[in-house]
Amino acid sequence: MSEKIKNNCPSCPRGPGQIVWILFWLTLLGTFSIRLTISGGDAAQQELFWSIAGLVRTAACGVLFLRLSREENTYRTAGLLTFASVALSLLTLFLPADAMGGRLILVLGLCGTGLSIAAEYYECSAHAALAEPWDEQLADKWRTLWKWRAAALIAAAAAMLLSAVPTLGLLLVLFVIAAMVVTGIWKLVCLYRTAKLFGSSAY
């Protein structure tokens, strides 16, 4: 850990710190979300509820990106792409399962994955740009993280396309799950260090 982070970087601006902390907690919630099942409830309705809850959390992150755009303009693009991804996911959720033989849902799912990759790129780039004047190592970690997150999302898209090949599709799904958990923890560490860099408290 750099001396700047140990000392909470006294010369760093304080504005972004609290917003990054909120992003940290929202990301923590998304990475380790536990879906509670209500006894006797309809499984499909419960799945829809948790999917919408996840999209609300993602949209909240988009709002925070727009707020952070006052500090670094790249966050604005990350926020707009996040909103576009949420809108597309909502549309996919409410389409009938047999929409055009499932092809429309597949196409929209792939488009949504593309938007997620772009949003991830701009988010990590914005975090890197925000941290770079004060901690270059942390900025480099953000740039490396996005590559691994992109790899996981590309694998998720490939799993959609290969759903007709059960064995290969299952292997890809397992890889995606493992990669998202590992990179999710990595992202939490980077968010924590970024928040601490700007001298804010988690409480």
Side-chain angles (χ1 to χ4, degrees):
M1 185 178 292
S2 72
E3 288 300 319
K4 288 181 180 178
I5 292 182
K6 286 180 180 178
N7 298 325
N8 283 339
C9 188
S11 61
C12 294
R14 294 294 184 259
Q18 290 185 346
I19 300 176
V20 178
W21 269 121
I22 298 172
L23 274 174
F24 171 83
W25 290 113
L26 287 174
T27 302
L28 179 68
L29 184 64
T31 303
F32 298 105
S33 60
I34 300 174
R35 299 188 176 189
L36 302 176
T37 302
I38 302 173
S39 179
D42 182 83
Q45 288 184 351
Q46 291 188 36
E47 182 65 27
L48 179 62
F49 169 81
W50 288 112
S51 296
I52 292 175
L55 291 176
V56 169
R57 181 197 65 83
T58 303
C61 290
V63 172
L64 294 175
F65 294 150
L66 292 184
R67 289 193 61 187
L68 282 169
S69 66
R70 302 169 189 170
E71 308 288 341
E72 165 56 47
N73 193 53
T74 311
Y75 281 111
R76 183 178 304 279
T77 305
L80 294 176
L81 286 169
T82 298
F83 290 139
S85 175
V86 168
L88 195 58
S89 297
L90 275 174
L91 177 61
T92 305
L93 278 178
F94 291 102
L95 280 175
D98 60 346
M100 296 177 63
R103 293 178 184 175
L104 181 58
I105 292 177
L106 176 61
V107 170
L108 291 176
L110 292 173
C111 291
T113 301
L115 285 171
S116 296
I117 292 172
E120 196 77 41
Y121 168 75
Y122 281 101
E123 179 190 352
C124 290
S125 296
H127 290 319
L130 188 68
E132 189 164 30
W134 320 104
D135 192 316
E136 292 183 1
Q137 290 184 350
L138 179 57
D140 288 340
K141 283 180 172 29
W142 274 116
R143 295 189 181 99
T144 303
L145 171 62
W146 116 259
K147 297 173 184 177
W148 286 96
R149 296 282 286 184
L153 289 168
I154 290 170
M160 291 182 203
L161 292 171
L162 295 173
S163 58
V165 185
T167 302
L168 188 54
L170 177 60
L171 288 174
L172 278 172
V173 168
L174 292 175
F175 169 79
V176 170
I177 293 172
M180 292 305 286
V181 170
V182 171
T183 59
I185 294 172
W186 184 355
K187 186 173 185 178
L188 285 170
V189 172
C190 288
L191 282 170
Y192 177 84
R193 292 186 60 185
T194 302
K196 291 292 288 182
L197 180 64
F198 292 98
S200 185
S201 170
Y203 306 100

